[in-house]
Amino acid sequence: MASKNLQNIILLYNIILICGLCLVYSKAELPRFEHPIKPDGSLSILVVGDWGRRGAYNQTEVAAQMAKIGDQVEPDFIISTGDNFYEDGLTGVDDPAFEESFSNIYLGPSLQKQWYNVLGNHDYRGDVLAQLDPILRKKDSKWLCLRSFILNTDVAEFFFIDTTPFVDKYFTNPKHHKYDWRGVLPRDEYLFNLLKDLDTALKESSSDWKIVVGHHTLRSAGKHGITFELEERLLPVLQENNVDLYVNGHDHCLEHISSPDSPLQFLTSGGGSKAWRGNIRPWSPEELKLYYDGQGFMAMKLTKLLFLHFT
């Protein structure tokens, strides 16, 4: 890293197959939440994406491994990078897929923490408002899903961003899929306001670490590769505001790509269930620090130094 030397980031790759919640006022338009850290000043997180398959494609096995690692690292909360319910999101707040793909899968004691979720493209194929409905928190108190929001801790600030509306093909060539754009249209206005609010929030942030979470890839050697709409519109905002990490799902793999021209690091955690074996694009070995094409998740421990564990 430039502003934060890369030697201050220690990456440990162990590949295994496979709170208090308070909404507070923010000057920016994005909702803001606060989450406490451990008494020793550290913060532990699990990150998983692309998971909701009613236990199929090793989702149950990944959840079991998450629980085991969770017992060791004692996560303060869990981040989902989207595609929470396959193939077509939820049909409504009473869809049994919520329990069958979430509540009945992530049963380990260490996973009974707050989950902060963003939406993926598959979630937009269903009833988006159902995933955002507070009634799901009544069904399972650890669930929290918004389109975009900010999570502040004393160690780092997380900016969760709704990336699906950026992607042109979901609007111009949806094929046989139907997307739920309620709350998004008119699209240009929605994206303009989102980027403006994100830029404002990042500029206001005094956190040592700025971490942006979205579903779609910005840099990836996986099947989806670069999301060019995000590269054009989101990436400049991240670089201008010295964001440290962009964390995403969408590609069903685990990877870490470094940026050659800025401190920004790209982390993919999309191995929550179905993996895409052998699907890797050529990438500069100087930038591609890790690529694993199987199931898994990411464990992250933050202090004044940043420790990342891929599992």
Coordinates of all heavy atoms in Angstrom, one line a residue, residues 141-218:
S141 N -33.5 -12.0 14.2 CA -33.0 -10.7 14.7 C -31.6 -10.4 14.1 O -31.2 -9.3 14.1 CB -33.0 -10.7 16.2 OG -32.1 -11.7 16.7
K142 N -30.9 -11.4 13.7 CA -29.5 -11.2 13.2 C -29.5 -10.6 11.7 O -28.5 -10.2 11.2 CB -28.6 -12.4 13.3 CG -29.0 -13.6 12.4 CD -28.0 -14.8 12.7 CE -28.4 -16.0 11.9 NZ -29.5 -16.7 12.5
W143 N -30.6 -10.6 11.1 CA -30.7 -10.2 9.7 C -30.9 -8.6 9.6 O -31.7 -8.0 10.2 CB -31.9 -10.8 9.0 CG -32.1 -10.4 7.6 CD1 -33.0 -9.4 7.1 CD2 -31.5 -10.9 6.4 NE1 -32.9 -9.3 5.8 CE2 -32.0 -10.2 5.3 CE3 -30.6 -11.9 6.2 CZ2 -31.6 -10.4 4.0 CZ3 -30.2 -12.2 4.9 CH2 -30.7 -11.5 3.8
L144 N -30.0 -8.0 8.8 CA -30.2 -6.6 8.5 C -29.8 -6.4 7.0 O -28.6 -6.7 6.7 CB -29.4 -5.7 9.4 CG -29.7 -4.2 9.2 CD1 -29.6 -3.4 10.5 CD2 -28.7 -3.5 8.2
C145 N -30.7 -5.9 6.2 CA -30.4 -5.7 4.8 C -30.9 -4.3 4.3 O -32.1 -4.1 4.5 CB -31.0 -6.8 3.9 SG -30.5 -6.7 2.2
L146 N -30.1 -3.5 3.8 CA -30.5 -2.3 3.2 C -29.8 -2.2 1.8 O -28.8 -2.9 1.5 CB -30.0 -1.1 4.0 CG -30.7 -0.8 5.4 CD1 -30.1 -1.7 6.5 CD2 -30.7 0.6 5.7
R147 N -30.3 -1.3 1.0 CA -29.6 -1.1 -0.3 C -28.2 -0.6 -0.1 O -27.2 -1.2 -0.7 CB -30.4 -0.1 -1.2 CG -31.8 -0.6 -1.6 CD -32.5 0.4 -2.5 NE -33.9 0.2 -2.6 CZ -34.5 -0.7 -3.5 NH1 -33.7 -1.4 -4.3 NH2 -35.8 -0.8 -3.5
S148 N -28.0 0.5 0.6 CA -26.7 1.1 0.8 C -26.8 1.8 2.2 O -27.8 2.3 2.6 CB -26.4 2.2 -0.2 OG -26.4 1.7 -1.5
F149 N -25.7 1.6 2.9 CA -25.6 2.2 4.3 C -24.2 2.2 4.8 O -23.2 1.7 4.1 CB -26.5 1.4 5.3 CG -26.1 -0.1 5.4 CD1 -25.3 -0.5 6.5 CD2 -26.5 -1.0 4.4 CE1 -25.0 -1.9 6.6 CE2 -26.1 -2.4 4.5 CZ -25.4 -2.8 5.6
I150 N -24.0 2.8 5.9 CA -22.6 3.0 6.5 C -22.6 2.3 7.9 O -23.6 2.4 8.6 CB -22.3 4.5 6.7 CG1 -22.3 5.2 5.4 CG2 -20.9 4.6 7.4 CD1 -22.2 6.7 5.5
L151 N -21.6 1.6 8.1 CA -21.4 0.9 9.4 C -20.1 1.5 10.0 O -19.0 1.3 9.4 CB -21.3 -0.6 9.3 CG -21.0 -1.4 10.6 CD1 -22.2 -1.2 11.6 CD2 -20.8 -2.8 10.2
N152 N -20.2 2.1 11.1 CA -19.0 2.7 11.8 C -18.6 1.9 13.0 O -19.4 1.5 13.8 CB -19.3 4.2 12.2 CG -18.0 4.8 12.8 OD1 -17.0 4.9 12.1 ND2 -18.1 5.3 14.0
T153 N -17.3 1.7 13.1 CA -16.7 1.1 14.3 C -15.5 2.0 14.7 O -15.1 2.8 13.9 CB -16.2 -0.4 14.1 OG1 -15.0 -0.3 13.3 CG2 -17.3 -1.2 13.3
D154 N -14.9 1.7 15.8 CA -13.8 2.5 16.3 C -12.5 2.2 15.5 O -11.5 2.9 15.6 CB -13.6 2.4 17.8 CG -14.6 3.1 18.6 OD1 -15.3 4.0 18.1 OD2 -14.8 2.7 19.8
V155 N -12.6 1.0 14.8 CA -11.4 0.6 14.1 C -11.5 1.0 12.6 O -10.5 1.4 12.0 CB -11.2 -0.9 14.2 CG1 -10.0 -1.4 13.4 CG2 -11.0 -1.3 15.7
A156 N -12.7 0.8 12.0 CA -12.8 1.0 10.6 C -14.3 1.5 10.3 O -15.2 1.3 11.1 CB -12.5 -0.3 9.8
E157 N -14.4 2.1 9.1 CA -15.8 2.5 8.6 C -16.1 1.7 7.4 O -15.2 1.6 6.4 CB -15.8 4.0 8.4 CG -17.2 4.5 8.4 CD -17.3 6.0 8.6 OE1 -16.2 6.7 8.6 OE2 -18.4 6.5 8.9
F158 N -17.2 1.1 7.3 CA -17.7 0.2 6.2 C -18.8 1.0 5.5 O -19.7 1.4 6.1 CB -18.2 -1.1 6.7 CG -17.2 -1.9 7.4 CD1 -16.9 -1.7 8.8 CD2 -16.5 -2.9 6.8 CE1 -16.0 -2.4 9.5 CE2 -15.5 -3.7 7.5 CZ -15.3 -3.4 8.8
F159 N -18.6 1.0 4.1 CA -19.6 1.6 3.3 C -20.2 0.6 2.3 O -19.6 0.1 1.4 CB -19.0 2.8 2.5 CG -18.3 3.8 3.3 CD1 -17.0 3.5 3.8 CD2 -18.9 5.0 3.6 CE1 -16.3 4.5 4.6 CE2 -18.2 5.9 4.4 CZ -16.9 5.6 4.9
F160 N -21.5 0.2 2.6 CA -22.2 -0.8 1.9 C -22.9 -0.2 0.7 O -23.7 0.7 0.9 CB -23.1 -1.6 2.8 CG -22.5 -2.4 3.8 CD1 -21.9 -1.8 5.0 CD2 -22.4 -3.8 3.7 CE1 -21.3 -2.6 6.0 CE2 -21.8 -4.6 4.7 CZ -21.2 -4.0 5.8
I161 N -22.6 -0.7 -0.5 CA -23.1 0.0 -1.7 C -23.9 -1.0 -2.6 O -23.5 -2.1 -2.8 CB -21.9 0.6 -2.5 CG1 -21.2 1.6 -1.7 CG2 -22.4 1.2 -3.8 CD1 -22.0 2.7 -1.2
D162 N -25.1 -0.5 -3.1 CA -25.9 -1.3 -3.9 C -25.4 -1.2 -5.4 O -25.6 -0.2 -6.1 CB -27.3 -0.6 -3.9 CG -28.4 -1.4 -4.7 OD1 -28.2 -2.6 -5.0 OD2 -29.4 -0.8 -5.0
T163 N -24.8 -2.3 -5.8 CA -24.1 -2.2 -7.1 C -24.9 -2.7 -8.3 O -24.6 -2.3 -9.5 CB -22.8 -3.0 -7.1 OG1 -23.1 -4.4 -6.8 CG2 -21.8 -2.5 -6.0
T164 N -25.9 -3.5 -8.1 CA -26.7 -4.0 -9.2 C -27.2 -3.0 -10.1 O -27.2 -3.2 -11.4 CB -27.8 -4.9 -8.7 OG1 -27.2 -6.0 -7.9 CG2 -28.6 -5.6 -9.8
P165 N -27.8 -1.9 -9.7 CA -28.4 -0.9 -10.6 C -27.3 -0.2 -11.5 O -27.7 0.5 -12.5 CB -29.0 0.2 -9.7 CG -29.3 -0.6 -8.4 CD -28.2 -1.5 -8.3
F166 N -26.0 -0.4 -11.2 CA -25.0 0.2 -12.1 C -24.9 -0.6 -13.4 O -24.4 0.0 -14.4 CB -23.6 0.2 -11.4 CG -23.4 1.2 -10.4 CD1 -23.8 1.0 -9.0 CD2 -22.9 2.5 -10.7 CE1 -23.6 2.0 -8.1 CE2 -22.7 3.4 -9.7 CZ -23.0 3.2 -8.4
V167 N -25.3 -1.8 -13.4 CA -24.9 -2.7 -14.5 C -26.0 -2.6 -15.7 O -27.1 -2.9 -15.5 CB -24.8 -4.2 -14.0 CG1 -24.4 -5.1 -15.2 CG2 -23.8 -4.3 -12.9
D168 N -25.5 -2.2 -16.8 CA -26.4 -1.9 -17.9 C -27.2 -3.1 -18.4 O -28.4 -3.0 -18.7 CB -25.6 -1.4 -19.1 CG -25.0 0.0 -18.8 OD1 -25.5 0.7 -18.0 OD2 -24.0 0.3 -19.5
K169 N -26.6 -4.3 -18.5 CA -27.3 -5.4 -19.1 C -28.5 -5.8 -18.4 O -29.4 -6.4 -19.0 CB -26.3 -6.6 -19.2 CG -25.9 -7.2 -17.9 CD -25.0 -8.4 -18.2 CE -24.5 -9.1 -16.9 NZ -23.6 -10.2 -17.1
Y170 N -28.6 -5.6 -17.1 CA -29.8 -5.9 -16.4 C -31.0 -5.1 -16.8 O -32.2 -5.5 -16.6 CB -29.6 -5.8 -14.9 CG -28.5 -6.6 -14.3 CD1 -27.6 -6.0 -13.3 CD2 -28.2 -7.9 -14.7 CE1 -26.6 -6.8 -12.8 CE2 -27.1 -8.6 -14.2 CZ -26.3 -8.0 -13.2 OH -25.3 -8.8 -12.7
F171 N -30.7 -4.0 -17.4 CA -31.8 -3.1 -17.9 C -32.0 -3.3 -19.4 O -33.1 -3.3 -19.9 CB -31.5 -1.6 -17.6 CG -31.4 -1.3 -16.2 CD1 -30.3 -1.4 -15.4 CD2 -32.6 -0.7 -15.6 CE1 -30.3 -1.1 -14.1 CE2 -32.6 -0.4 -14.2 CZ -31.4 -0.6 -13.5
T172 N -30.9 -3.4 -20.2 CA -31.0 -3.4 -21.6 C -31.2 -4.8 -22.2 O -31.7 -5.0 -23.3 CB -29.8 -2.8 -22.2 OG1 -28.6 -3.5 -21.9 CG2 -29.6 -1.3 -21.8
N173 N -30.7 -5.8 -21.5 CA -30.7 -7.2 -22.0 C -31.0 -8.2 -20.8 O -30.1 -9.0 -20.5 CB -29.4 -7.6 -22.7 CG -29.5 -8.9 -23.4 OD1 -30.6 -9.4 -23.8 ND2 -28.3 -9.5 -23.6
P174 N -32.1 -8.1 -20.2 CA -32.4 -9.0 -19.0 C -32.7 -10.4 -19.4 O -32.8 -11.2 -18.5 CB -33.6 -8.3 -18.4 CG -34.3 -7.7 -19.6 CD -33.2 -7.2 -20.5
K175 N -32.7 -10.7 -20.7 CA -33.0 -12.1 -21.2 C -34.4 -12.5 -20.6 O -35.4 -11.8 -20.7 CB -31.9 -13.0 -20.8 CG -30.6 -12.7 -21.5 CD -29.5 -13.6 -21.2 CE -28.2 -13.2 -21.9 NZ -27.1 -14.1 -21.6
H176 N -34.5 -13.6 -20.0 CA -35.8 -14.1 -19.5 C -36.0 -13.7 -18.1 O -37.0 -14.2 -17.4 CB -35.9 -15.6 -19.6 CG -34.8 -16.4 -18.9 ND1 -33.5 -16.5 -19.3 CD2 -34.8 -17.0 -17.7 CE1 -32.8 -17.2 -18.5 NE2 -33.6 -17.5 -17.5
H177 N -35.1 -12.9 -17.5 CA -35.2 -12.5 -16.1 C -36.0 -11.2 -16.0 O -36.0 -10.4 -16.8 CB -33.8 -12.3 -15.5 CG -33.0 -13.6 -15.6 ND1 -33.3 -14.8 -15.0 CD2 -31.8 -13.7 -16.2 CE1 -32.4 -15.6 -15.2 NE2 -31.4 -15.1 -16.0
K178 N -36.7 -11.1 -14.8 CA -37.4 -9.9 -14.5 C -36.8 -9.4 -13.2 O -36.7 -10.0 -12.2 CB -38.9 -10.2 -14.3 CG -39.7 -9.0 -14.0 CD -41.2 -9.3 -13.8 CE -42.0 -8.0 -13.5 NZ -43.5 -8.4 -13.4
Y179 N -36.4 -8.1 -13.3 CA -35.8 -7.4 -12.1 C -36.7 -6.5 -11.5 O -37.5 -5.8 -12.1 CB -34.5 -6.7 -12.6 CG -33.4 -7.6 -13.1 CD1 -33.4 -8.1 -14.4 CD2 -32.5 -8.1 -12.2 CE1 -32.4 -8.9 -14.8 CE2 -31.4 -8.9 -12.6 CZ -31.4 -9.4 -13.9 OH -30.4 -10.2 -14.3
D180 N -36.7 -6.4 -10.2 CA -37.5 -5.6 -9.4 C -36.8 -4.2 -9.1 O -36.0 -4.1 -8.2 CB -37.8 -6.3 -8.0 CG -38.8 -5.5 -7.1 OD1 -39.2 -4.4 -7.6 OD2 -39.1 -5.9 -6.0
W181 N -37.2 -3.2 -9.9 CA -36.5 -1.9 -9.9 C -37.3 -0.9 -9.0 O -37.0 0.3 -9.1 CB -36.3 -1.4 -11.3 CG -35.4 -2.2 -12.1 CD1 -35.6 -2.7 -13.3 CD2 -34.0 -2.7 -11.8 NE1 -34.6 -3.5 -13.8 CE2 -33.6 -3.4 -12.9 CE3 -33.2 -2.5 -10.7 CZ2 -32.3 -4.0 -12.9 CZ3 -31.9 -3.1 -10.7 CH2 -31.5 -3.8 -11.8
R182 N -38.2 -1.4 -8.2 CA -38.9 -0.4 -7.3 C -37.9 0.2 -6.4 O -37.1 -0.5 -5.8 CB -40.0 -1.2 -6.5 CG -41.2 -1.6 -7.3 CD -42.2 -2.4 -6.5 NE -41.6 -3.7 -6.0 CZ -42.1 -4.5 -5.1 NH1 -43.3 -4.1 -4.5 NH2 -41.5 -5.6 -4.7
G183 N -38.0 1.5 -6.3 CA -37.0 2.2 -5.4 C -35.8 2.6 -6.1 O -34.9 3.4 -5.6
V184 N -35.6 2.2 -7.4 CA -34.4 2.5 -8.1 C -34.6 3.5 -9.3 O -33.8 4.3 -9.6 CB -33.8 1.2 -8.7 CG1 -32.7 1.5 -9.7 CG2 -33.2 0.3 -7.6
L185 N -35.8 3.4 -9.9 CA -36.1 4.3 -11.0 C -36.6 5.6 -10.5 O -37.2 5.8 -9.5 CB -37.2 3.6 -11.9 CG -36.9 2.2 -12.4 CD1 -38.0 1.7 -13.2 CD2 -35.6 2.2 -13.2
P186 N -36.2 6.7 -11.2 CA -35.4 6.7 -12.4 C -33.9 6.4 -12.1 O -33.3 7.0 -11.1 CB -35.5 8.2 -13.0 CG -35.9 9.0 -11.8 CD -36.7 8.1 -10.9
R187 N -33.3 5.5 -12.9 CA -32.0 5.0 -12.6 C -30.9 6.0 -12.5 O -30.1 6.0 -11.6 CB -31.7 3.9 -13.7 CG -30.4 3.3 -13.5 CD -30.0 2.4 -14.7 NE -28.7 1.8 -14.7 CZ -28.0 1.4 -15.7 NH1 -28.5 1.6 -17.0 NH2 -26.8 0.9 -15.6
D188 N -30.9 6.9 -13.5 CA -29.8 7.9 -13.5 C -29.8 8.8 -12.2 O -28.7 9.0 -11.6 CB -29.9 8.8 -14.7 CG -29.6 8.1 -16.0 OD1 -28.9 7.0 -15.9 OD2 -29.9 8.6 -17.1
E189 N -31.0 9.1 -11.8 CA -31.1 9.9 -10.5 C -30.6 9.1 -9.3 O -29.9 9.6 -8.4 CB -32.5 10.4 -10.4 CG -32.7 11.2 -9.1 CD -34.2 11.7 -9.0 OE1 -34.9 11.7 -10.0 OE2 -34.6 12.0 -7.9
Y190 N -31.0 7.8 -9.3 CA -30.7 6.9 -8.2 C -29.2 6.8 -8.1 O -28.6 6.9 -7.0 CB -31.3 5.6 -8.4 CG -31.0 4.5 -7.4 CD1 -31.7 4.5 -6.2 CD2 -30.0 3.6 -7.6 CE1 -31.4 3.5 -5.2 CE2 -29.7 2.6 -6.6 CZ -30.4 2.6 -5.4 OH -30.1 1.7 -4.5
L191 N -28.5 6.5 -9.2 CA -27.0 6.3 -9.2 C -26.3 7.6 -8.9 O -25.3 7.6 -8.2 CB -26.6 5.8 -10.6 CG -27.1 4.4 -10.9 CD1 -26.6 3.9 -12.3 CD2 -26.7 3.4 -9.8
F192 N -26.8 8.7 -9.4 CA -26.2 10.0 -9.2 C -26.2 10.3 -7.7 O -25.2 10.7 -7.1 CB -26.9 11.2 -9.9 CG -26.4 12.5 -9.6 CD1 -25.3 13.1 -10.2 CD2 -27.1 13.3 -8.6 CE1 -24.8 14.3 -9.9 CE2 -26.6 14.6 -8.3 CZ -25.5 15.1 -8.9
N193 N -27.3 10.1 -7.0 CA -27.5 10.4 -5.6 C -26.6 9.4 -4.8 O -26.0 9.8 -3.8 CB -28.9 10.3 -5.2 CG -29.8 11.5 -5.7 OD1 -29.2 12.6 -5.9 ND2 -31.0 11.3 -5.9
L194 N -26.6 8.2 -5.2 CA -25.8 7.2 -4.4 C -24.3 7.5 -4.5 O -23.7 7.5 -3.4 CB -26.0 5.8 -5.0 CG -25.2 4.7 -4.4 CD1 -25.4 4.6 -2.9 CD2 -25.6 3.3 -5.1
L195 N -23.8 7.9 -5.7 CA -22.4 8.2 -5.8 C -22.1 9.5 -5.0 O -21.0 9.7 -4.4 CB -22.0 8.4 -7.2 CG -21.9 7.0 -8.0 CD1 -21.8 7.3 -9.5 CD2 -20.8 6.2 -7.5
K196 N -23.0 10.5 -5.1 CA -22.8 11.7 -4.4 C -22.8 11.5 -2.9 O -21.9 12.0 -2.2 CB -23.9 12.7 -4.7 CG -23.9 14.0 -3.9 CD -25.0 15.0 -4.4 CE -26.4 14.4 -4.1 NZ -26.7 14.3 -2.6
D197 N -23.7 10.7 -2.4 CA -23.8 10.4 -0.9 C -22.5 9.6 -0.5 O -22.0 9.9 0.6 CB -25.0 9.6 -0.6 CG -26.3 10.5 -0.8 OD1 -26.2 11.7 -0.8 OD2 -27.4 9.9 -0.8
L198 N -22.1 8.7 -1.3 CA -20.9 7.9 -1.0 C -19.7 8.8 -0.9 O -18.9 8.8 0.0 CB -20.7 6.8 -2.0 CG -19.4 6.0 -1.8 CD1 -19.3 5.3 -0.4 CD2 -19.2 5.0 -3.0
D199 N -19.5 9.7 -1.9 CA -18.4 10.6 -2.0 C -18.4 11.5 -0.7 O -17.4 11.7 -0.1 CB -18.4 11.4 -3.2 CG -17.3 12.3 -3.4 OD1 -16.1 11.8 -3.4 OD2 -17.5 13.5 -3.4
T200 N -19.6 12.0 -0.4 CA -19.7 12.9 0.8 C -19.3 12.2 2.1 O -18.6 12.7 2.9 CB -21.1 13.4 0.9 OG1 -21.4 14.2 -0.3 CG2 -21.3 14.3 2.1
A201 N -19.8 10.9 2.2 CA -19.6 10.2 3.4 C -18.1 9.8 3.5 O -17.5 9.8 4.6 CB -20.4 8.9 3.4
L202 N -17.5 9.4 2.4 CA -16.1 9.1 2.4 C -15.2 10.3 2.8 O -14.2 10.2 3.6 CB -15.6 8.6 1.1 CG -16.1 7.1 0.8 CD1 -15.8 6.8 -0.7 CD2 -15.4 6.1 1.7
K203 N -15.6 11.5 2.3 CA -14.9 12.7 2.6 C -15.0 13.1 4.1 O -14.1 13.7 4.7 CB -15.3 13.8 1.7 CG -14.7 13.7 0.2 CD -15.2 14.9 -0.6 CE -14.3 14.9 -1.9 NZ -14.4 13.7 -2.7
E204 N -16.2 12.8 4.6 CA -16.5 13.2 6.0 C -15.8 12.2 7.0 O -15.5 12.5 8.1 CB -18.0 13.1 6.3 CG -18.8 14.2 5.7 CD -20.3 14.0 5.9 OE1 -20.7 12.9 6.4 OE2 -21.0 14.9 5.5
S205 N -15.4 11.0 6.5 CA -14.9 10.0 7.3 C -13.5 10.3 7.8 O -12.6 10.7 7.1 CB -14.8 8.6 6.6 OG -14.2 7.6 7.4
S206 N -13.3 10.1 9.1 CA -12.0 10.3 9.7 C -11.4 9.0 10.1 O -10.4 8.9 10.9 CB -12.1 11.2 10.9 OG -13.0 10.7 11.9
S207 N -12.0 7.9 9.7 CA -11.5 6.5 10.1 C -10.2 6.2 9.5 O -9.8 6.7 8.4 CB -12.6 5.5 9.6 OG -12.2 4.2 10.0
D208 N -9.4 5.5 10.3 CA -8.1 5.0 9.7 C -8.2 4.1 8.5 O -7.4 4.1 7.7 CB -7.3 4.3 10.8 CG -6.8 5.2 11.9 OD1 -6.7 6.4 11.7 OD2 -6.6 4.7 13.1
W209 N -9.3 3.3 8.5 CA -9.5 2.3 7.5 C -10.9 2.6 6.9 O -11.9 2.6 7.6 CB -9.4 0.9 8.0 CG -8.1 0.6 8.5 CD1 -7.6 0.6 9.8 CD2 -7.0 0.1 7.7 NE1 -6.3 0.2 9.8 CE2 -5.9 -0.1 8.6 CE3 -6.8 -0.2 6.4 CZ2 -4.7 -0.5 8.2 CZ3 -5.6 -0.6 5.9 CH2 -4.5 -0.8 6.8
K210 N -11.0 2.7 5.6 CA -12.2 2.9 4.8 C -12.4 1.6 3.9 O -11.5 1.3 3.1 CB -12.2 4.1 3.9 CG -12.0 5.4 4.7 CD -11.9 6.6 3.8 CE -11.6 7.9 4.5 NZ -11.5 9.1 3.6
I211 N -13.5 0.9 4.2 CA -13.8 -0.3 3.5 C -15.1 -0.2 2.8 O -16.1 0.1 3.5 CB -13.7 -1.5 4.5 CG1 -12.4 -1.6 5.1 CG2 -14.1 -2.8 3.7 CD1 -12.3 -2.6 6.3
V212 N -15.1 -0.4 1.5 CA -16.4 -0.4 0.7 C -16.8 -1.8 0.4 O -15.9 -2.6 -0.1 CB -16.2 0.5 -0.6 CG1 -17.5 0.4 -1.4 CG2 -16.0 1.9 -0.2
V213 N -18.1 -2.1 0.6 CA -18.6 -3.5 0.3 C -19.7 -3.4 -0.7 O -20.6 -2.6 -0.6 CB -19.2 -4.1 1.6 CG1 -19.7 -5.5 1.3 CG2 -18.1 -4.1 2.7
G214 N -19.6 -4.2 -1.8 CA -20.6 -4.3 -2.8 C -20.7 -5.7 -3.3 O -19.9 -6.5 -2.9
H215 N -21.6 -5.9 -4.1 CA -21.8 -7.3 -4.7 C -20.9 -7.5 -5.9 O -20.2 -8.6 -5.9 CB -23.2 -7.6 -5.1 CG -23.4 -9.0 -5.7 ND1 -23.2 -10.1 -5.0 CD2 -23.7 -9.3 -7.0 CE1 -23.4 -11.2 -5.8 NE2 -23.7 -10.7 -7.0
H216 N -20.9 -6.6 -6.8 CA -20.2 -6.9 -8.1 C -18.7 -6.6 -8.0 O -18.2 -5.8 -7.2 CB -20.8 -6.0 -9.2 CG -22.2 -6.5 -9.6 ND1 -23.3 -6.2 -8.8 CD2 -22.6 -7.2 -10.7 CE1 -24.4 -6.7 -9.4 NE2 -24.0 -7.3 -10.5
T217 N -18.0 -7.3 -8.9 CA -16.6 -7.3 -8.9 C -16.1 -5.9 -9.5 O -16.7 -5.4 -10.5 CB -16.0 -8.4 -9.8 OG1 -16.6 -8.4 -11.1 CG2 -16.3 -9.7 -9.1
L218 N -15.0 -5.4 -9.0 CA -14.3 -4.3 -9.7 C -13.1 -4.8 -10.4 O -12.8 -4.5 -11.5 CB -13.9 -3.2 -8.6 CG -14.7 -2.0 -8.7 CD1 -14.4 -1.0 -7.5 CD2 -14.5 -1.2 -10.0

